[in-house]
Amino acid sequence: VDSVYNPESAVYAELGSTIQQKLAAKASKSAARTAALTRLGSAQARLGYNPFHHNTNVLAPSETKVFQSKNNAAKPYLDTHSRLFVDEGIAINENRTQKLRNETLAGKDWNICTGTKITTLPSTVPFRNDKMQSHPSQATMQRGRNMQGFLDLSQVTRCTSPFLPP
């Protein structure tokens, strides 16, 4: 077959030799690059010994330990946070505390969840009556809003339900 890869070809001999020279130069440069990377990338090849080889012997503190401990002499530990943000403690403002407590309790002297009397820091403002909840349909004299719809059994004389025994 007559092609550039046939060195006896009369037509493609010159072009084939040029291609072979370029391929040989490329292979030579690749081999040189591989050798340079091997030489530069390996401490063993460059120095004749491996400086990063781990020493398995336990050395005394006075002995030189290459790459086994950090040298913190150049950069001492600085607690930047404590230098910038000085802890001054919590300043308690009694007026603000009482105002927040008054807004929370709204004049109530009992805990709305448990119904117990509040003895610690009670509200100093009068009880705030909500106009919507003070309507007679929402709160009566006998029972509060939470008892709305409650049937007082002391006032019931006879059950009229057909499902209950007489």
Side-chain angles (χ1 to χ4, degrees):
V1 176
D2 203 12
S3 71
V4 291
Y5 297 108
N6 185 3
E8 285 95 27
S9 170
V11 178
Y12 297 109
E14 186 178 334
L15 184 60
S17 68
T18 306
I19 290 174
Q20 291 299 328
Q21 287 173 357
K22 286 183 180 179
L23 287 174
K26 186 176 178 181
S28 169
K29 285 192 178 203
S30 177
R33 175 84 175 142
T34 303
L37 287 175
T38 304
R39 183 175 41 84
L40 294 174
S42 171
Q44 180 75 32
R46 191 172 67 247
L47 301 174
Y49 66 97
N50 188 358
F52 301 110
H53 178 70
H54 182 66
N55 186 359
T56 57
N57 299 332
V58 178
L59 301 176
S62 60
E63 293 182 274
T64 303
K65 300 178 205 174
V66 179
F67 300 117
Q68 288 189 1
S69 63
K70 294 181 179 179
N71 182 7
N72 291 327
K75 50 179 183 61
Y77 175 71
L78 300 174
D79 190 4
T80 307
H81 186 275
S82 67
R83 287 186 297 127
L84 293 178
F85 304 103
V86 179
D87 186 20
E88 297 173 353
I90 299 172
I92 297 173
N93 184 352
E94 280 118 19
N95 293 333
R96 181 177 184 274
T97 306
Q98 186 63 52
K99 181 182 183 312
L100 291 174
R101 188 68 168 178
N102 289 340
E103 288 179 7
T104 302
L105 295 175
K108 297 181 208 68
D109 62 346
W110 68 91
N111 186 335
I112 61 171
C113 296
T114 61
T116 57
K117 185 166 181 62
I118 294 176
T119 56
T120 309
L121 199 63
S123 181
T124 58
V125 296
F127 181 69
R128 182 173 54 201
N129 243 350
D130 189 6
K131 290 182 181 178
M132 294 298 287
Q133 291 185 358
S134 63
H135 190 271
S137 67
Q138 298 294 320
T140 64
M141 296 298 285
Q142 292 84 18
R143 53 190 180 270
R145 178 173 166 75
N146 62 336
M147 301 294 281
Q148 183 181 1
F150 176 73
L151 186 61
D152 190 5
L153 294 179
S154 66
Q155 297 176 0
V156 176
T157 56
R158 183 168 179 260
C159 292
T160 58
S161 173
F163 302 107
L164 296 174

